[in-house]
Amino acid sequence: MGPMHDDHYAPPTTLLGLLQRGRGQGALIAAEDRSTVADLVHGCIRWEWRWDRQADHRDLYLARLIRDLELPLAPVVDLLSGDEGTRDRAAAVLERLARGGSAEARRALPDRTPEEVRPPAHRPERPDPAPDRDLPELVAELERRWVERVWCGPDELARGLARFGPEAAGAVSLLRRFWLATPHSYERADYLEALSAIGAPGMPEVYAESLYDCEPRARLLAVRHAPDRPYQLRRIAHLRDDPMEEPEVRAAAGARLAGAAGAPSRRTG
């Protein structure tokens, strides 16, 4: 598995790599094998993996793993005695858990008032691609960035490709690869929007996974577009009723479920 403190992400095909990126698939796999995941989750709090600490979200994702998988909280509390960055990451997770009703997390933060939930669903402001960029140029540039592993900025290209709709079908494979592998989790929503605008196959499954994504904007898109299947509707109800969730996502989940007879509670999610 390699040293957890290494500054490189593990491959996105591994559980560690999925958890580092905050991918929904990581949460789904972790739920199937709780016995081996605790050290990985605690490690993702102890060590900073995010490339953009202002934009890439992890605290709610990790707090949910701890709560839903009933992982021990003591190792997170212990991290409050670490360096400033470690302490801030641990405190952010504990604040989420305290907001969700964890008495143990609240006791660990006696001198802290849980912060207000931040508005979630807006990506950092970036200029839209120049309108004079044609489809072949956008696809060629996206391919170049994939080959060279340039992770900063392909979301701009994705927004440009989305404007072409189904005409950009040739870019689907590249967009999906960036969605799967990017270390910049806040860019995943742009890849989702582009894949949807193009009409890529497999979007129901992509949205189903994104209901568990670390990024609020990705969850928001998934809440609005995931298929009307019982399991997905239960997850949407879970997001609607979860006090740790961002207000905009909760509101969208409530709107999605409005009028649905007997919408399930979050405890069944």
Side-chain angles (χ1 to χ4, degrees):
M1 182 168 56
M4 292 272 303
H5 59 278
D6 192 271
D7 62 357
H8 298 291
Y9 277 61
T13 53
T14 66
L15 178 56
L16 175 58
L18 291 167
L19 295 176
Q20 288 171 328
R21 290 167 174 80
R23 282 267 310 279
Q25 187 65 21
L28 291 166
I29 293 174
E32 297 175 357
D33 190 5
R34 304 184 186 196
S35 62
T36 62
V37 77
D39 286 346
L40 298 181
V41 173
H42 294 146
C44 285
I45 302 171
R46 181 176 180 183
W47 289 290
E48 179 63 89
W49 298 103
R50 296 169 299 168
W51 287 12
D52 189 333
R53 301 178 187 183
Q54 299 300 314
D56 290 331
H57 302 288
R58 294 293 186 276
D59 54 320
L60 176 54
Y61 178 84
L62 295 168
R64 275 197 173 121
L65 285 169
I66 290 170
R67 180 195 64 190
D68 297 345
L69 304 184
E70 300 179 346
L71 303 181
L73 197 56
V76 183
V77 176
D78 290 343
L79 295 177
L80 293 174
S81 61
D83 60 33
E84 182 179 4
T86 302
R87 183 169 62 250
D88 287 347
R89 290 190 299 277
V93 170
L94 291 169
E95 286 169 357
R96 289 284 186 177
L97 290 166
R99 190 178 301 121
S102 169
E104 184 180 359
R106 192 171 296 278
R107 286 194 300 270
L109 298 165
D111 300 322
R112 297 177 67 105
T113 300
E115 299 174 1
E116 292 297 318
V117 180
R118 58 182 176 271
H122 304 292
R123 58 175 168 79
E125 289 299 322
R126 290 195 173 194
D128 284 333
D132 58 356
R133 302 188 79 169
D134 60 17
L135 179 56
E137 181 185 358
L138 287 169
V139 175
E141 178 63 14
L142 189 65
E143 184 169 18
R144 182 190 70 79
R145 295 196 189 190
W146 174 258
V147 170
E148 298 179 4
R149 294 300 191 265
V150 178
W151 300 113
C152 297
D155 57 331
E156 176 187 337
L157 300 173
R159 296 197 301 276
L161 289 164
R163 296 174 176 172
F164 290 91
E167 292 180 42
V172 164
S173 176
L174 283 166
L175 289 167
R176 194 180 295 273
R177 277 180 265 169
F178 273 104
W179 176 75
L180 290 168
T182 182
H184 284 303
S185 56
Y186 72 84
E187 295 192 358
R188 277 201 293 268
D190 291 298
Y191 304 135
L192 280 176
E193 290 183 321
L195 288 166
S196 179
I198 293 169
M203 288 307 295
E205 289 71 28
V206 171
Y207 280 127
E209 174 185 333
S210 297
L211 289 170
Y212 298 80
D213 198 279
C214 71
E215 287 297 324
R217 199 159 61 96
R219 294 196 303 278
L220 188 63
L221 288 168
V223 162
R224 290 172 174 166
H225 301 294
D228 285 329
R229 297 171 183 166
Y231 186 80
Q232 275 76 62
L233 293 176
R234 285 196 297 271
R235 178 63 179 179
I236 292 171
H238 180 98
L239 299 179
R240 177 197 62 190
D241 299 336
D242 187 350
M244 296 199 301
E245 183 55 82
E246 306 286 3
E248 190 169 356
V249 177
R250 294 187 69 183
R256 171 74 186 269
L257 295 169
S265 71
R266 84 175 185 88
R267 290 301 179 188
T268 64

